[in-house]
Amino acid sequence: MRYLVFLATVSLSSILFAIPQNDAPGIDPIYLDAFDLRPVVKSPDGKLGITVTGPKESWEAWVTIAPSDFPGGPIQVWPIQRNVNVLWRPDSHAFALTDDRYANLAYVLVFGTHFAMGEGSAQLGVPVEDLTPTIRKVFDERAQKYYAPADYDTRLFYAKALRWIENDRIVVGVNAKTVGASELLANRGIRDWIVGYLVDVPRKTVLSEIESGQMLSQYGIDLEKQNW
């Protein structure tokens, strides 16, 4: 687990709570962007809020937690370039962030909300876990079996946090596009993938793959209608 060093200013307090509040946090992710859509996404216990701060319509925006347990007030925990989706963990002690950083790549990260001062072995900042490599590895194994024995390229890979299952597991959706080698183009060329994964967050392990039909029947999530 790594820690992200924060940027904090007292002036963020007045900025943050002047933003429209999301008073009914639910089980679905909430969209925010670096430009003009910046609601405060409240934690389930109502004690914390997440929004985007920094100059609007610029590349200097940050995902920010307030009020946080740090005496200096709100803390900026993650720089963003385009847009993000926030999904609070049920116990309010962490949240999943889908960062749509690039046109062909999106990440899923999990942030803690406790700010570490760096005493002992702990590093300065809030803990951050990147689940994307874990999910990508399992996806790549399936794609390689599909294209075997030839190789393939992944042209886009969007991972999105969709639903917390209690506090240790999370459902992540993947929308990907792959292109097979030239000798496979007749029957296994370009393929679009939409699939879900159940991830054990503390262990950073994929527990199961979830096809679209199962995702809809078991979790009520329509992968086809997600805003990728």
Side-chain angles (χ1 to χ4, degrees):
M1 182 181 295
R2 61 193 177 97
Y3 284 70
L4 187 71
V5 176
F6 78 110
L7 297 177
T9 60
V10 176
S11 61
L12 281 175
S13 298
S14 58
I15 296 173
L16 190 56
F17 291 105
I19 301 170
Q21 306 282 311
N22 172 33
D23 293 319
I27 59 175
D28 297 319
I30 303 296
Y31 176 92
L32 307 90
D33 67 42
F35 303 99
D36 53 16
L37 191 60
R38 300 181 174 188
V40 175
V41 185
K42 287 187 176 181
S43 58
D45 64 9
K47 295 180 180 180
L48 297 173
I50 297 171
T51 191
V52 175
T53 58
K56 291 187 176 182
E57 298 184 5
S58 76
W59 302 110
E60 300 176 2
W62 285 78
V63 174
T64 301
I65 307 175
S68 87
D69 58 3
F70 182 64
I75 57 173
Q76 297 173 316
V77 297
W78 192 253
I80 68 169
Q81 296 181 7
R82 301 175 68 218
N83 57 270
V84 297
N85 284 272
V86 171
L87 186 63
W88 275 105
R89 200 168 75 181
D91 66 3
S92 300
H93 295 312
F95 63 93
L97 186 77
T98 301
D99 186 354
D100 298 318
R101 182 161 294 265
Y102 303 111
N104 64 344
L105 185 61
Y107 300 86
V108 170
L109 308 106
V110 174
F111 290 77
T113 58
H114 174 72
F115 186 86
M117 293 298 295
E119 298 92 344
S121 60
Q123 300 181 43
L124 180 70
V126 294
V128 185
E129 292 282 7
D130 187 353
L131 300 181
T132 318
T134 299
I135 300 162
R136 180 67 182 265
K137 180 176 183 294
V138 174
F139 171 81
D140 286 343
E141 289 172 353
R142 179 178 177 184
Q144 186 58 73
K145 288 180 181 178
Y146 174 77
Y147 285 108
D151 207 349
Y152 70 98
D153 290 324
T154 301
R155 298 295 172 87
L156 62 82
F157 185 86
Y158 301 140
K160 183 178 182 180
L162 297 174
R163 182 75 51 80
W164 281 98
I165 309 299
E166 298 179 342
N167 294 315
D168 290 337
R169 295 173 295 160
I170 193 169
V171 174
V172 176
V174 167
N175 179 8
K177 183 184 292 291
T178 55
V179 179
S182 58
E183 62 267 27
L184 297 176
L185 290 181
N187 57 359
R188 280 179 290 162
I190 298 174
R191 174 168 176 176
D192 294 310
W193 307 75
I194 296 182
V195 65
Y197 296 98
L198 181 62
V199 182
D200 184 311
V201 176
R203 295 179 175 83
K204 296 182 72 173
T205 302
V206 172
L207 299 176
S208 62
E209 184 176 283
I210 310 169
E211 297 294 346
S212 294
Q214 181 186 355
M215 183 74 79
L216 187 59
S217 62
Q218 186 169 349
Y219 299 108
I221 299 172
D222 191 339
L223 291 176
E224 302 285 345
K225 294 183 179 179
Q226 289 298 311
N227 182 14
W228 299 102

